[in-house]
């Protein structure tokens, strides 16, 4: 019997090896129309229009009235964040939101970077575009597209942008100076949502590629985590000749041999190329399994019936805040669920957290943002089986929801040239640890351009 198992394993590995050899495949670049109705016969308006975030007394008064009518259920004794967002701490957040949070001041802060909109494939696409305030003699800025995920926004990048566009004045080397473009995923914040079914990460990647061309960039760097990691990966699969380099702080590695070794890695880790740090971050499997189980309930809901829960969240600002901010607790550090306040203010300010919530509340986009899960959870996703043949850098933050070893990353991204074990940080890397992420981006681009 053991001989049969061994032979079957060897045969399976050989078949996998032949099937998954490094084929330089690309995704077809196609086209789309995601606006309402039929695509007009006239050409699309390609103008780039300045945009400004605004608010009103009516918007703020409506928010306050809804907060004033909140109904909370008392938490169980000593439940901390084990049952979700602790309503005792939520009362503190609500009180701050209602009585101290200054949305007008935050709107001014949002407008400190230039905002724009442009129509692409029938959708109004919002983005910020930040150029360096000064450049060293003889240098030109490197265009860098940075893409957020859920439940985040372009605002996640506000603290890292100065470290990339003006590194010398923020304690970093000015060997590489970037020109940063941060778009909002369609259906998130100020980017118009698709009117049609099927709008997925590949369509988003194509739209963002067209955005970069419209801005005059034929070659550029791209960076992302969460959905941004998948969107940037898809861009590299669609137009590899236009992507100078890809940097990620999360990776979707599903169809490869190494994920099959997870059960055996504890005993045969070195055989599969796992380092001591990989072993520390990956095991025990029981702990990982239960952590994923605890943290993935939202995933099933949003991948199946996003509009149902969206009705409740779009109607209740407090419900929306609890739903979103709970992720900024346990995805930042899973041990934060053992704290009464979820550890939220250990890494973030309430002003920053509530600004992120307000970008969903004021635009009414929580439902459309959740639909992105349903559109992407398909069994026929061709991109999952295509490797990425552009230079790649990866930052492995230790509190990410699941650790991805270098061997796993390299199986999907054969041109991996930089893999870093980050000393701290979790899922929202640019928001939580902007300096660490900026340093790793600088490191990756330096390695690449010295090759």
């Amino acid at each position: 019997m053991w001989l049969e198992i061994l032979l079957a394993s060897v045969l399976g590995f050989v078949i996998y090896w032949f099937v998954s050899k490094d084929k330089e495949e690309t995704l077809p670049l196609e086209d789309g129309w995601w606006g309402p109705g039929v695509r007009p016969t006239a050409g699309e308006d390609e103008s780039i229009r300045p945009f400004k975030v605004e608010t009103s007394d009516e918007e703020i008064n409506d928010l306050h009235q809804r907060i004033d009518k909140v109904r909370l259920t008392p938490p169980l004794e000593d439940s901390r964040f084990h049952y979700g967002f602790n309503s005792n701490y939520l009362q503190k957040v609500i009180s701050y939101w209602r009585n101290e949070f200054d949305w007008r001041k935050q709107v001014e802060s949002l407008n400190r970077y230039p905002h724009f909109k442009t129509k692409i494939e029938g959708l109004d696409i919002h983005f910020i575009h930040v150029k360096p305030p000064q450049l060293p003699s003889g240098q030109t800025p490197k265009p860098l597209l940075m893409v957020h995920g859920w439940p985040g926004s372009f605002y996640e990048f506000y603290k890292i942008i100065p470290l990339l566009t003006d590194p010398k004045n923020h304690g970093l080397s000015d060997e590489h100076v970037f020109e940063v473009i941060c778009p909002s995923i369609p259906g998130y914040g100020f980017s118009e949502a698709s009117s049609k079914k099927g709008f997925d990460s590949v369509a988003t990647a194509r739209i963002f590629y067209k955005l970069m061309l419209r801005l005059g960039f034929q070659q550029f760097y791209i960076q992302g985590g969460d959905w941004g990691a998948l969107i940037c990966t898809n861009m590299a699969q669609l137009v590899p000749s236009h992507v100078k380099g890809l940097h990620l702080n999360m990776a979707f590695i599903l169809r490869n041999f190494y994920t099959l070794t997870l059960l055996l890695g504890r005993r045969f880790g070195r055989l599969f190329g796992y380092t001591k740090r990989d072993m520390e971050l990956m095991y025990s499997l029981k702990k990982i399994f239960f952590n994923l189980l605890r943290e993935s309930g939202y995933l099933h809901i949003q991948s199946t019936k996003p509009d149902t829960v969206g009705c409740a969240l779009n109607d209740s600002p407090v419900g929306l805040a609890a739903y979103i901010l709970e992720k900024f607790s346990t995805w930042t550090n899973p041990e934060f669920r053992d704290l009464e306040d979820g550890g939220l203010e250990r890494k973030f300010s309430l002003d920053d957290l509530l600004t992120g919530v307000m970008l969903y509340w004021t635009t009414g986009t929580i439902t459309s943002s959740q639909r992105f899960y349903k559109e992407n959870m398909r069994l026929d996703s061709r991109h999952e089986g295509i490797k990425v043949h552009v230079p790649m850098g990866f930052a492995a933050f230790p509190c990410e929801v699941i650790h991805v070893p270098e061997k796993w990353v390299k199986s999907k991204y054969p041109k991996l040239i930089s893999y870093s074990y980050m000393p701290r940080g979790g899922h929202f890397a640019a928001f939580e640890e902007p300096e660490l992420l900026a340093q790793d981006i600088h490191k990756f681009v330096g390695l690449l351009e010295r090759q």
Side-chain angles (χ1 to χ4, degrees):
M1 182 182 72
W2 288 109
L3 180 60
E4 291 172 350
I5 293 173
L6 178 62
L7 289 174
S9 300
V10 171
L11 179 61
F13 179 82
V14 170
I15 293 171
Y16 173 84
W17 185 81
F18 275 108
V19 169
S20 64
K21 284 193 295 185
D22 289 0
K23 301 173 184 177
E24 298 252 357
E25 288 183 88
T26 58
L27 287 171
L29 188 61
E30 300 174 344
D31 199 7
W33 173 261
W34 306 101
V38 180
R39 185 172 197 158
T41 54
E44 193 163 62
D45 177 9
E46 297 188 357
S47 64
I48 296 173
R49 314 179 309 276
F51 172 77
K52 190 175 182 180
V53 184
E54 296 179 335
T55 188
S56 65
D57 289 340
E58 291 77 13
E59 183 175 72
I60 295 170
N61 290 337
D62 176 69
L63 171 70
H64 289 172
Q65 288 170 16
R66 290 171 184 262
I67 290 176
D68 289 341
K69 294 179 180 179
V70 66
R71 299 187 305 171
L72 296 180
T73 303
L76 296 172
E77 294 176 6
D78 196 34
S79 60
R80 291 165 282 183
F81 263 56
H82 294 161
Y83 284 71
F85 207 108
N86 185 290
S87 56
N88 282 342
Y89 177 64
L90 185 56
Q91 286 180 325
K92 176 188 174 181
V93 175
I94 294 169
S95 176
Y96 183 85
W97 198 2
R98 175 65 176 84
N99 302 309
E100 299 179 58
F101 179 75
D102 188 341
W103 177 230
R104 292 187 184 280
K105 180 181 177 182
Q106 293 307 111
V107 165
E108 289 180 13
S109 179
L110 287 171
N111 285 322
R112 75 178 183 265
Y113 294 135
H115 293 247
F116 303 90
K117 284 191 174 184
T118 188
K119 275 282 193 205
I120 305 178
E121 297 192 8
L123 300 178
D124 238 358
I125 303 301
H126 162 263
F127 63 99
I128 58 172
H129 184 179
V130 187
K131 298 180 180 181
Q134 57 188 6
L135 279 168
S137 177
Q139 271 200 37
T140 55
K142 298 171 172 62
L144 172 64
L145 179 80
M146 303 189 79
V147 186
H148 66 88
W150 186 92
S153 66
F154 66 91
Y155 183 61
E156 285 181 51
F157 301 115
Y158 267 47
K159 291 179 182 177
I160 197 174
I161 285 172
L163 304 175
L164 299 168
T165 59
D166 190 18
K168 188 172 183 179
N169 285 326
H170 291 84
L172 300 177
S173 167
D174 63 356
E175 181 184 1
H176 307 289
V177 180
F178 298 90
E179 181 172 346
V180 179
I181 300 92
C182 301
S184 295
I185 297 172
Y188 289 66
F190 302 115
S191 276
E192 186 179 359
S194 173
S195 295
K196 296 173 171 58
K197 296 188 292 184
F199 185 83
D200 60 8
S201 62
V202 176
T204 308
R206 184 178 63 241
I207 283 175
F208 289 172
Y209 161 63
K210 290 180 178 181
L211 170 64
M212 295 301 279
L213 292 184
R214 192 168 293 182
L215 292 173
F217 303 119
Q218 289 295 321
Q219 285 196 311
F220 43 85
Y221 289 95
I222 53 180
Q223 199 285 327
D226 197 86
W227 282 129
L230 183 58
I231 292 165
C232 289
T233 293
N234 292 157
M235 288 183 73
Q237 292 168 322
L238 286 166
V239 288
S241 62
H242 292 267
V243 177
K244 291 188 70 175
L246 165 67
H247 186 280
L248 304 179
N249 53 276
M250 184 178 179
F252 294 81
I253 312 290
L254 299 175
R255 299 179 185 174
N256 75 83
F257 165 74
Y258 285 102
T259 55
L260 302 176
T261 69
L262 193 57
L263 292 173
L264 299 173
R266 181 82 179 187
R267 183 166 295 185
F268 305 106
R270 290 187 179 181
L271 179 64
F272 299 127
Y274 297 157
T275 66
K276 181 182 178 182
R277 185 60 175 150
D278 290 331
M279 302 289 284
E280 291 170 353
L281 294 170
M282 290 168 66
Y283 297 100
S284 72
L285 279 180
K286 183 178 179 181
K287 184 178 179 181
I288 290 175
F289 173 77
F290 282 110
N291 188 49
L292 287 174
L293 195 63
R294 277 190 296 258
E295 296 302 325
S296 59
Y298 83 100
L299 179 68
H300 186 73
I301 292 172
Q302 294 175 192
S303 299
T304 53
K305 304 290 180 67
D307 286 29
T308 304
V309 69
C311 288
L313 300 177
N314 200 46
D315 192 57
S316 168
V318 175
L320 180 68
Y323 195 77
I324 286 177
L325 297 186
E326 181 239 306
K327 305 306 178 192
F328 283 88
S329 166
T330 51
W331 290 2
T332 298
N333 188 327
E335 294 181 2
F336 284 175
R337 70 168 63 91
D338 295 327
L339 305 173
E340 289 287 337
D341 63 358
L344 280 169
E345 294 176 73
R346 295 190 177 194
K347 291 288 188 175
F348 312 106
S349 71
L350 286 181
D351 279 343
D352 282 341
L353 291 170
L354 289 170
T355 296
V357 173
M358 288 293 285
L359 288 172
Y360 283 89
W361 175 254
T362 57
T363 58
T365 53
I366 188 60
T367 302
S368 53
S369 75
Q370 292 176 151
R371 288 174 182 163
F372 205 58
Y373 283 79
K374 185 171 178 64
E375 304 296 10
N376 282 290
M377 295 300 169
R378 298 199 307 263
L379 297 175
D380 59 345
S381 298
R382 181 179 172 186
H383 62 81
E384 287 181 6
I386 296 179
K387 297 191 177 186
V388 178
H389 294 277
V390 303
M392 193 263 196
F394 190 81
F397 284 85
C399 290
E400 182 57 271
V401 179
I402 187 167
H403 174 66
V404 183
E406 183 174 357
K407 282 286 185 179
W408 292 24
V409 177
K410 201 158 190 175
S411 69
K412 175 81 173 182
Y413 305 86
K415 293 188 178 179
L416 177 70
I417 63 172
S418 172
Y419 181 98
S420 306
Y421 295 101
M422 309 306 285
R424 61 185 179 276
H427 185 72
F428 303 98
F431 201 39
E432 180 191 350
E433 296 289 351
E435 187 168 340
L436 288 180
L437 184 61
Q439 288 170 348
D440 203 65
I441 293 169
H442 280 276
K443 169 188 164 184
F444 162 64
V445 172
L447 288 171
L448 175 56
E449 299 203 348
R450 285 192 290 271
Q451 282 188 345

